[in-house]
Amino acid sequence: MRYVIVIAAITFFLIWDGLYNQGRYLDATVREMSRIVSYVTGAA
């Protein structure tokens, strides 16, 4: 049941971000995650 709640919350956030912020928060999150991944894989 908690997985359903988590998935619903993430879906709601993505829809809200896309409708009201033109995906600004999602874009910043993806950018930051890719930066962290490249840093970790580069440093390893």
Side-chain angles (χ1 to χ4, degrees):
M1 182 63 191
R2 62 185 150 191
Y3 295 116
V4 175
I5 295 172
V6 169
I7 292 171
I10 292 172
T11 304
F12 175 77
F13 173 75
L14 291 176
I15 292 172
W16 171 80
D17 187 41
L19 289 176
Y20 296 103
N21 298 313
Q22 289 79 43
R24 180 172 55 217
Y25 291 113
L26 181 63
D27 183 50
T29 304
V30 170
R31 221 180 283 260
E32 192 65 22
M33 289 296 285
S34 62
R35 187 181 70 81
I36 291 170
V37 167
S38 65
Y39 174 77
V40 168
T41 55

